[in-house]
Amino acid sequence: MPPTDFKPDKYTGITFEEAMKVRKERLTPSLMTYYQKPIMFVQGHGQWLYDERGRRYLDLFAGINTVSCGHCHPKVVAALEKQMKTLWHTSNIYIHPKIHEYVTKLTDKLPGDLKVAYIVNSGSEANDLAMLLARLHTGSFDIISLRSAYHGGSPYLQGLTALQTWNYSFARGFGIHNSMNADVFRGPYGGAHCRDSPVQTIRSCDCPSGQCQANDKYVHQVEDLLNHSCPKSIAGIFIEPIQGAGGINQYPKDFVKGAYTVARKKGALCIADEVQTGFGRMGSHYWGFETHGVMPDIVTMAKGIGNGFPLAAVVTTPAIAKCLTEALHFNTFGGNPLACAVGSAVIDVIEEEKLQENAEVIGTYLMKELEKLRDEFEVLGDVRGKGLMIGIDLVTDKESRSPLPGPDVTEILEETKDMGILLGRAGLSGNVLRIKPPMCITKADADFAVDVMRRALVNHTKRKPFYQQNAPNKRIVTKRKVDMYVKP
């Protein structure tokens, strides 16, 4: 594990056993824990988290892609402390300086006419509001999103979030339609030349190098949905630049541009959901939509915007913003002084510490190292992503690309945790490991993470041969002398 000079404080609070009892008896049963042996974290510093015993973990999940600058970044902490001593809260029906200072700094980071901001508290709130804006401005009702999309968990957003694991059995999604996801790894079209990533899928591809024929086929699916399932005009289209909870899915290179084009022909506003992709995480660009060469009409953002503080925003054009003046619209805590002080400090830290550049350099290095693991282990089917938003797709075998069963994924996740790294989990089958760390991680951290993951994959391979129920196994030895199992 890479060394650090930081020493955590001695913990004196509630015990782990007491916390688990409260969790079981007093908190909603819908709360899940990632591990068979859960962890209680009591302190964070940079890319590290510490449990009540003082044990250190490399946080590669960042509170579900939320801690952008690093845990308890001193500049962000100082900004919050300073604001707490002057003004905690006053309604925005009064004028306080922080919201005005912050929205100027925030909207200066966006191109074109995206200059009007609504400050809210969460990504779900932001997407709720974006949906309302689209419907009010266009006078239309229907909205489309992609299958495998995640745009929030509120009842209003249940239809936009097209993942069975997140949807309850009640009437939802009225006026919302989900198009085929443009997935070049598991979808019907696409392969090795299609996506904008340092690592391409090993799936065979008929596209010439530098071209993607799958793109038009997926755009046609959007057009077909619009022509058959929607009225003549629609309100909007929601797209994550890279799908997060859906499995770090990446589209063909020009898919988003094509989808925007056909949707705009139906009068739609184009909404970029930057909740997970914004604020430099893509490395090459500050915003994920910029990697697709498009200009959205509305941008939603949360998570990394506040480095863990409850903060989110919707940014749109002056023309679209006017529609909210038809009735009273207000958010009690949106844009409060504390949140705006934090958000402003986060933007400063990302710029001053060149975290966007770090995301590109370390993210690309990490993906190329993970590509070597993919070529070594049959269970590792795909590595994909951009910057420090990376997915590792675990499979039973590379030929079928069938998702690795849940118990196997759980074992691997548990082992990586026990060896000191924290990973996320995503995808409809829960078989995609998510890497979305604080953007301050180092090359040494990346090397440590790869070493831990390799050890966990070696142990999984020794513990449980592939295809054990369906075919005899043929043992081979990899370049690093690790036992692997493949079909004869």
Side-chain angles (χ1 to χ4, degrees):
M1 183 176 287
T4 177
D5 295 330
F6 181 78
K7 296 187 182 302
D9 300 330
K10 184 178 180 181
Y11 176 68
T12 58
I14 186 174
T15 67
F16 174 82
E17 291 74 21
E18 290 169 336
M20 290 300 292
K21 185 174 187 295
V22 171
R23 190 179 185 92
K24 181 179 180 180
E25 297 176 359
R26 305 295 180 94
L27 287 171
T28 170
S30 67
L31 279 179
M32 62 178 177
T33 55
Y34 255 17
Y35 300 111
Q36 294 172 331
K37 297 178 182 178
I39 319 171
M40 183 168 75
F41 291 117
V42 299
Q43 193 165 359
H45 177 79
Q47 60 271 50
W48 304 102
L49 283 171
Y50 297 83
D51 66 17
E52 78 282 6
R53 300 165 297 171
R55 185 180 179 189
R56 179 162 55 112
Y57 298 81
L58 177 61
D59 185 7
L60 295 184
F61 199 27
I64 316 182
N65 197 16
T66 298
V67 179
S68 51
C69 301
H71 293 280
C72 300
H73 191 285
K75 181 161 185 169
V76 180
V77 170
L80 180 59
E81 287 180 339
K82 181 179 179 180
Q83 188 59 45
M84 287 175 71
K85 294 175 181 178
T86 55
L87 182 66
W88 276 42
H89 177 77
T90 183
S91 164
N92 284 320
I93 61 173
Y94 306 113
I95 296 173
H96 67 82
K98 282 301 172 185
I99 189 172
H100 303 85
E101 295 170 3
Y102 177 54
V103 297
T104 300
K105 188 179 292 187
L106 176 63
T107 55
D108 280 349
K109 302 297 292 185
L110 286 141
D113 210 18
L114 292 166
K115 297 303 176 196
V116 180
Y118 298 84
I119 309 300
V120 292
N121 308 288
S122 72
S124 290
E125 276 189 88
N127 283 328
D128 274 344
L129 180 56
M131 190 185 304
L132 177 63
L133 283 167
R135 285 171 167 167
L136 288 174
H137 181 74
T138 62
S140 298
F141 188 76
D142 288 56
I143 290 177
I144 64 173
S145 67
L146 303 179
R147 295 170 198 164
S148 293
Y150 180 84
H151 296 289
S154 71
Y156 199 40
L157 297 171
Q158 284 276 301
L160 278 183
T161 293
L163 281 165
Q164 182 183 29
T165 47
W166 291 93
N167 285 327
Y168 291 94
S169 298
F170 67 90
R172 66 189 186 282
F174 181 53
I176 296 174
H177 314 272
N178 310 124
S179 184
M180 178 186 288
N181 183 33
D183 182 353
V184 302
F185 182 63
R186 282 204 173 79
Y189 318 117
H193 301 303
C194 291
R195 64 192 183 200
D196 176 24
S197 174
V199 178
Q200 296 291 339
T201 176
I202 60 173
R203 182 180 178 185
S204 61
C205 185
D206 295 330
C207 304
S209 181
Q211 300 180 33
C212 180
Q213 298 169 347
N215 177 75
D216 291 342
K217 296 176 181 178
Y218 284 117
V219 171
H220 176 72
Q221 291 293 324
V222 177
E223 192 169 27
D224 192 64
L225 175 74
L226 289 167
N227 290 335
H228 288 87
S229 301
C230 300
K232 291 183 178 180
S233 63
I234 66 169
I237 179 172
F238 276 75
I239 299 181
E240 302 163 84
I242 294 178
Q243 289 183 329
I248 322 300
N249 293 322
Q250 284 184 285
Y251 324 113
K253 295 183 181 72
D254 291 323
F255 168 74
V256 175
K257 187 179 295 184
Y260 273 22
T261 298
V262 297
R264 280 183 167 136
K265 288 179 181 178
K266 295 286 188 177
L269 296 185
C270 297
I271 299 107
D273 182 339
E274 294 278 352
V275 169
Q276 296 195 34
T277 53
F279 294 90
R281 184 161 290 276
M282 296 293 93
S284 62
H285 297 79
Y286 201 82
W287 303 107
F289 68 79
E290 294 175 308
T291 68
H292 296 283
V294 297
M295 175 65 78
D297 302 293
I298 301 172
V299 181
T300 62
M301 55 195 76
K303 292 189 180 290
I305 190 175
N307 201 50
F309 197 91
L311 177 63
V314 180
V315 180
T316 189
T317 68
I320 294 170
K322 286 181 181 178
C323 67
L324 273 191
T325 62
E326 295 176 15
L328 291 175
H329 175 79
F330 186 69
N331 188 305
T332 299
F333 294 106
N336 75 81
L338 296 179
C340 291
V342 167
S344 183
V346 167
I347 290 176
D348 290 344
V349 170
I350 291 171
E351 292 180 354
E352 292 166 4
E353 300 188 1
K354 301 186 183 303
L355 296 185
Q356 179 183 338
E357 292 89 335
N358 193 63
E360 180 169 27
V361 172
I362 302 301
T364 300
Y365 172 78
L366 179 54
M367 289 190 68
K368 298 301 288 185
E369 291 300 300
L370 291 171
E371 182 182 27
K372 297 174 185 176
L373 292 188
R374 182 204 64 188
D375 294 343
E376 186 175 346
F377 293 94
E378 183 74 6
V379 71
L380 210 168
D382 195 33
V383 174
R384 52 185 178 258
K386 193 171 178 64
L388 284 173
M389 186 168 179
I390 301 169
I392 301 173
D393 200 312
L394 300 177
V395 297
T396 58
D397 62 282
K398 287 183 169 72
E399 183 180 349
S400 72
R401 303 189 300 278
S402 298
L404 192 68
D408 293 334
V409 180
T410 297
E411 283 183 336
I412 292 171
L413 203 66
E414 196 78 18
E415 278 202 293
T416 55
K417 177 261 293 183
D418 290 341
M419 288 188 278
I421 67 170
L422 305 174
L423 300 166
R425 192 169 177 176
L428 187 63
S429 301
N431 67 301
V432 180
L433 301 181
R434 285 202 271 182
I435 299 176
K436 303 174 181 182
M439 295 189 293
C440 58
I441 68 164
T442 66
K443 181 176 179 291
D445 299 331
D447 287 335
F448 171 64
V450 171
D451 184 50
V452 166
M453 282 184 270
R454 185 176 182 280
R455 292 185 189 189
L457 292 173
V458 167
N459 291 341
H460 171 80
T461 301
K462 291 179 177 178
R463 185 169 55 237
K464 193 170 297 183
F466 306 120
Y467 317 112
Q468 59 182 0
Q469 296 180 1
N470 301 319
N473 296 311
K474 177 181 177 182
R475 181 174 295 228
I476 64 170
V477 179
T478 66
K479 295 177 182 177
R480 296 200 188 186
K481 311 297 183 184
V482 180
D483 287 338
M484 299 289 290
Y485 293 83
V486 296
K487 284 183 177 177

